[in-house]
Amino acid sequence: MGKKILTLRYLIGAIKDKASQSKAAFISKPSSFSLHLAVLRATTHAPSSPPDDHHISSLLTLGDSSRATASSLIVIIMDRLHRTGDSTVALKCLLIIHQIIKRGPFILQDQLSIFPATGGRNYLKLSAFRDGATASRFTISAWIRFYSRYIESLLYTSRILGYFLSSSSSRNTDDKISTFLNSDLIRDVDSLVQLIEETVKLPDSLLLDGNKLLYEVIGLLCSDYLSTVNELLIRLSEFKERLSCLSFGDSVELSFILKRLEGCKERLSVLFSVKKPSTELLWCSISELSLKIDNLKVDFSKRKLITFEKWSESARFNNRVMKFGDSVQFSSGRYEMTNLPLMIVEGRN
């Protein structure tokens, strides 16, 4: 009975795909039909596997032409994502967006980064996505809501950094980091930590063991995580070099960000069990830098105390001088001016 139901779903999905292609041929302009067809082929209703790499490569190649074509392709992908109520199609659309971020041509990435023109942090609009056709699809819906939030965070972080994180075309910033202001470095680290905080909200993968689509998602998340670790290491290393130059406010803000990152450590070890030298180095760097910042806070406190004590001593001295001066005050200016010569004469005698 279960196999018959599954076969029926495959059949219904195939019919929907054919219907979508026919509709695209009927309503699309000749110039955009190839784009519609490429998106439909990469986002079929077949739940057994992620988008075929050949279809993704074809789609990316189509986007590597004019700015107008790249913009149209992004709009078509987003339209497909927002119109579907099928969890498989929605998940495949999100995977394509992630692949554009990771290995898409610059012009396609650029159009993705500025979509929509109104901006915003929740423009994928999947926070209320529900596919209640079956229990498994309802569970996958939670993954789609998570994945859309994650991609939004990934795009936000990439905008802060000035390049796409984990992209094969991302620029090497090692030489430029030393020219950054402290506030810029703190902003970068904060955005990277926000992305990790979003990553650890990943739903329980044990509920959907064997789902190839979800394994594809986890693989991309793992790749992003390692890229994030490398970006953090570069910036934390720079902070070590300029620690003595940090203001008290900057040191407090950085310390708070590092504590947030440490709070993700346990969950990350569960999600990504494979240990890498870079991840081990990250946690060591965080511990070392946190200790140095704590010592710096103590130095700040000591200097503030010494300054306060000096100020207090100076205030007490000034207070004594004022009290002495109070004892020789005259009752009026007229009396003072009248008796001043007499006091001088008497002083001479």
Side-chain angles (χ1 to χ4, degrees), residues 191-203:
S191 67
L192 290 163
V193 171
Q194 284 185 49
L195 182 61
I196 288 182
E197 287 175 326
E198 197 62 54
T199 303
V200 298
K201 297 175 184 177
L202 183 77

Side-chain angles (χ1 to χ4, degrees), residues 35 59-71 73 105-108:
L35 302 179
L59 190 148
L60 298 180
T61 301
L62 284 170
D64 191 15
S65 54
S66 68
R67 190 173 299 276
T69 300
S71 177
L73 184 55
F106 171 77
I107 193 168
L108 195 57

Side-chain angles (χ1 to χ4, degrees), residues 71-232:
S71 177
S72 297
L73 184 55
I74 294 298
V75 170
I76 292 169
I77 293 170
M78 293 299 181
D79 186 65
R80 174 76 162 160
L81 176 63
H82 293 151
R83 287 178 179 274
T84 187
D86 187 279
S87 57
T88 299
V89 173
L91 199 53
K92 288 182 178 182
C93 287
L94 292 173
L95 280 168
I96 289 173
I97 295 171
H98 205 160
Q99 289 288 0
I100 292 172
I101 294 171
K102 189 171 181 62
R103 59 189 180 102
F106 171 77
I107 193 168
L108 195 57
Q109 291 178 338
D110 180 59
Q111 291 303 304
L112 176 63
S113 69
I114 62 174
F115 180 91
T118 53
R121 289 288 298 273
N122 186 35
Y123 65 82
L124 293 181
K125 300 176 183 177
L126 296 178
S127 58
F129 184 90
R130 296 286 190 282
D131 182 357
T134 64
S136 62
R137 285 172 177 260
F138 185 79
T139 307
I140 292 177
S141 297
W143 280 76
I144 292 169
R145 293 192 297 273
F146 155 77
Y147 199 22
S148 65
R149 291 195 309 269
Y150 172 83
I151 290 177
E152 289 166 353
S153 296
L154 178 58
L155 288 169
Y156 169 77
T157 300
S158 297
R159 291 189 187 104
I160 295 294
L161 298 180
Y163 53 88
F164 279 98
L165 183 71
S166 192
S167 171
S168 55
S169 60
S170 62
R171 294 167 291 176
N172 191 331
T173 58
D174 295 46
D175 299 333
K176 299 179 181 179
I177 288 294
S178 59
T179 66
F180 286 13
L181 297 174
N182 290 339
S183 58
D184 293 332
L185 280 176
I186 290 175
R187 180 202 61 190
D188 283 5
V189 172
D190 180 59
S191 67
L192 290 163
V193 171
Q194 284 185 49
L195 182 61
I196 288 182
E197 287 175 326
E198 197 62 54
T199 303
V200 298
K201 297 175 184 177
L202 183 77
D204 192 350
S205 59
L206 296 178
L207 295 176
L208 295 161
D209 189 28
N211 189 302
K212 293 181 180 180
L213 273 172
L214 298 183
Y215 279 133
E216 182 76 8
V217 172
I218 293 174
L220 290 172
L221 294 178
C222 184
S223 176
D224 287 350
Y225 169 57
L226 294 177
S227 296
T228 304
V229 167
N230 291 332
E231 295 291 341
L232 282 168

Side-chain angles (χ1 to χ4, degrees), residues 306-325:
I306 291 171
T307 303
F308 177 75
E309 289 177 346
K310 287 182 177 180
W311 178 84
S312 299
E313 183 63 30
S314 176
R316 286 195 294 271
F317 176 76
N318 290 335
N319 192 42
R320 288 198 297 270
V321 172
M322 290 301 296
K323 285 183 179 179
F324 178 76

